Amino acid sequence: MGDRGSGRRGALTGRRGAPLPAGLIRPFLYGAAPPLEDVHGAGLSLSIRPAARADAALILALVGELAEYERLAHEVDATEAMLAAALFAENPRVFCAIAEWDGAPAGFALWFYSFSTFRGRHGIHLEDVFVRPALRGRGIGMALLADLARRCLAEDLARLEWGVLDWNEPARAFYRRLGAIAMEGWTKNRLDGGALAALAGRA
């Protein structure tokens, strides 16, 4: 889960806080299971690992594939350097995991910490989750989400949340099966470009 489109996110067939203090950010994966055997018995496996600086080009490519799926490729202006600077800074405020199927990149999840004043606790906002179309149906998206759920429990975070495009019914149905609740009655608002600059210039 860039969150440029209205009502975004979700390409499992899913995504956008205030960061935790640096001292509270722990190693990425929680309780990660060993590689999972392919249900088709071909000896293939699924693994999830933290992204590394060398993955910047791969992450940009996956973002591009997600944008194509969401019909928003024209809105992508991120660069490899921009993603590398954000994800691999000394004290990053955004994080990424790479899913691999039989050692090959299969998808990713990109997230950051949010905060709920009502709950008085941090949470995780999943900006992007994407599984390459040819590899869907193998539990890869579920594994990416489960890894973040384990982090939430380990860090006593209040919630895991994301957006999904209104038309993406396969993803919406998947999330419903997980027990996710659609936040009806809430509309996301955004300022960017000229409107953002205009507001910044007001007294």
Side-chain angles (χ1 to χ4, degrees):
M1 229 184 202
D3 183 8
R4 294 177 173 82
S6 175
R8 275 187 67 76
R9 276 351 327 147
L12 289 175
T13 37
R15 109 173 211 68
R16 257 185 208 290
L20 284 175
L24 294 182
I25 297 176
R26 306 183 179 113
F28 190 85
L29 298 177
Y30 281 98
L36 305 173
E37 288 303 313
D38 178 16
V39 295
H40 302 295
L44 303 178
S45 63
L46 166 63
S47 61
I48 298 174
R49 62 172 178 81
R53 182 174 290 274
D55 293 313
L58 169 63
I59 295 168
L60 181 61
L62 290 168
V63 168
E65 292 176 35
L66 170 60
E68 287 284 352
Y69 176 83
E70 295 184 336
R71 310 167 191 170
L72 292 166
H74 60 285
E75 297 199 14
V76 176
D77 56 19
T79 66
E80 181 179 333
M82 291 163 66
L83 292 175
L87 287 162
F88 309 113
E90 184 176 351
N91 293 302
R93 291 181 287 179
V94 61
F95 308 90
C96 183
I98 304 293
E100 296 180 331
W101 184 259
D102 197 28
F108 78 120
L110 191 145
W111 60 275
F112 53 83
Y113 288 102
S114 59
F115 187 79
S116 168
T117 53
F118 285 13
R119 304 290 300 277
R121 293 152 64 197
H122 286 87
I124 283 176
H125 187 99
L126 179 60
E127 171 70 5
D128 289 330
V129 59
F130 175 73
V131 175
R132 284 176 158 161
L135 294 169
R136 292 172 188 163
R138 291 169 167 80
I140 298 170
M142 177 74 77
L144 286 164
L145 290 169
D147 183 63
L148 287 176
R150 287 190 290 271
R151 173 178 283 274
C152 287
L153 294 181
E155 296 187 1
D156 192 30
L157 305 179
R159 59 197 178 197
L160 170 61
E161 58 189 355
W162 61 91
V164 60
L165 285 161
D166 293 342
W167 57 259
N168 194 348
E169 186 52 36
R172 291 164 65 91
F174 174 77
Y175 298 142
R176 286 194 295 269
R177 291 195 297 272
L178 295 181
I181 300 171
M183 302 299 292
E184 303 294 343
W186 290 82
T187 300
K188 182 178 291 186
N189 290 274
R190 174 177 300 149
L191 283 173
D192 59 12
L196 181 62
L199 179 59
R202 293 186 178 179

